[in-house]
């Protein structure tokens, strides 16, 4: 199971002073030493954290899977087609949100999503759609031509106890449905060092995409260690799940 580390929050800190530090490119070096198998960055329309320079430099130096999160706009499609990340995750984007709030409504935006998927795939870029754990959204993702889906785990992460177990079951069911339709299944959002184990124990998940909790821990213990500890938890859950 791949661990994709989202480095947006390093750029958020840099942008707090509109300066040059901390540099997300340097943070990526340490994430790689800690065992990151993917690097994710979200280039937003308003460039509130990651900017075009970060994408250009990371494309040049990241040797593992580079995942560009973006909205399906003409501007972003132009940028992706120029920079050629290994994969793009299409997300809904609202200017005022603190982070990506919900999954993409693929059915309601079918024409736009289909066109974006086609143009990215024509450039050899793998395409994932960030969606809620709902069968209808998985079927719509298949219809849109995506290679992969990323199941939104925010609902799971925000709950506790029995309700969390119900959300876990929804994620598991969504993963199973995606695999049944021939889609690769990723998951992410809101995962941390406490709640990651149950998600990582779901059979068939290809990759987990995690940002906030890793960067938060990195502030205290350093990036390399924060990534290594998360990777260790995921690997352990996978081993236990396959017993
Ligand atoms: N996956 C997607 C599609 C996201 O938008 C985000 C947040 O940028 C993440 C995963 C990572 O979420 P978190 O920062 O809560 O780990």
């Amino acid at each position: 199971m791949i661990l994709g580390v989202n480095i947006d929050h390093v750029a958020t800190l840099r942008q707090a002073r509109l300066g040059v530090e901390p540099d997300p490119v340097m943070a990526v070096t340490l994430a790689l030493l800690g065992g990151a198998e993917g690097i994710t960055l979200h280039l937003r329309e308003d460039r509130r954290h990651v900017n075009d320079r970060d994408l250009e430099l990371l494309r040049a130096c990241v040797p593992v899977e580079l995942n560009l999160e973006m909205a399906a706009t003409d501007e972003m499609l132009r940028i992706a087609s120029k920079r050629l990340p290994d994969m793009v995750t299409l997300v809904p984007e609202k200017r005022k949100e603190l982070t990506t709030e919900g999954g993409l409504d693929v059915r309601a935006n079918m024409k736009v999503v289909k066109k974006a998927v086609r143009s990215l795939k024509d450039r050899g870029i793998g395409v994932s759609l960030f969606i809620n754990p709902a069968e209808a959204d998985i079927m719509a993702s298949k219809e849109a031509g995506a290679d992969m889906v990323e199941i939104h785990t925010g609902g799971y992460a925000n709950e506790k106890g029995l309700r969390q177990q119900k959300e876990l079951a929804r994620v598991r069911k969504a993963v199973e449905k995606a695999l049944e339709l021939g889609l690769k299944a990723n998951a992410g959002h809101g995962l941390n060092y406490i709640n990651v184990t149950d998600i990582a124990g779901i059979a068939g998940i290809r990759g987990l995409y995690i940002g906030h909790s890793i960067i938060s821990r990195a502030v205290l213990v350093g990036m390399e260690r924060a990534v290594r500890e998360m990777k260790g938890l995921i690997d352990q859950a996978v081993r236990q799940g396959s017993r």
Side-chain angles (χ1 to χ4, degrees), residues 131-149:
I131 55 167
N132 293 324
E135 185 168 318
D137 289 325
I138 291 154
M139 289 168 66
S141 301
K142 178 71 182 173
E143 193 181 321
D147 304 296
M148 300 174 251
V149 288

Side-chain angles (χ1 to χ4, degrees), residues 83-97:
R83 296 295 171 208
L84 298 177
D86 300 298
M87 65 181 271
V88 158
T89 301
L90 293 176
V91 297
E93 197 174 292
K94 292 189 212 129
R95 241 172 204 271
K96 291 237 166 79
E97 67 192 355

Side-chain angles (χ1 to χ4, degrees), residues 6 8-9 42 69 89 91 99-100 130 150 188-191 209-213:
N6 180 316
D8 293 350
H9 293 301
H42 184 173
E69 273 181 31
T89 301
V91 297
T99 178
T100 314
F130 182 56
E150 181 181 334
H189 211 284
L191 297 178
Y209 292 85
I210 307 178
H212 188 261
S213 68

Side-chain angles (χ1 to χ4, degrees), residues 68-208:
L68 176 64
E69 273 181 31
M70 57 177 234
T73 61
D74 288 344
E75 183 203 13
M76 288 302 151
L77 288 169
R78 261 197 313 280
I79 292 172
S81 122
K82 184 170 174 206
R83 296 295 171 208
L84 298 177
D86 300 298
M87 65 181 271
V88 158
T89 301
L90 293 176
V91 297
E93 197 174 292
K94 292 189 212 129
R95 241 172 204 271
K96 291 237 166 79
E97 67 192 355
L98 291 177
T99 178
T100 314
E101 281 169 356
L104 196 59
D105 188 344
V106 182
R107 177 69 57 205
N109 297 285
M110 185 58 85
K111 225 170 129 190
V112 173
V113 175
K114 241 185 188 169
K115 190 171 147 245
V117 170
R118 199 175 320 118
S119 92
L120 292 163
K121 284 173 81 168
D122 282 352
R123 296 289 285 150
I125 301 168
V127 187
S128 181
L129 305 181
F130 182 56
I131 55 167
N132 293 324
E135 185 168 318
D137 289 325
I138 291 154
M139 289 168 66
S141 301
K142 178 71 182 173
E143 193 181 321
D147 304 296
M148 300 174 251
V149 288
E150 181 181 334
I151 307 295
H152 195 327
T153 50
Y156 159 82
N158 288 334
E159 291 293 355
K160 285 199 165 47
L162 211 58
R163 288 160 82 108
Q164 188 171 52
Q165 289 309 305
K166 276 195 183 147
E167 289 296 327
L168 179 65
R170 281 183 74 199
V171 175
R172 184 179 290 114
K173 217 167 136 205
V175 169
E176 284 165 3
K177 185 70 194 176
L179 297 177
E180 185 191 311
L181 295 183
L183 293 163
K184 291 178 188 146
N186 301 309
H189 211 284
L191 297 178
N192 60 35
Y193 294 81
I194 295 164
N195 66 24
V196 74
T197 299
D198 281 348
I199 294 288
I202 297 176
I205 294 186
R206 169 188 170 275
L208 296 182

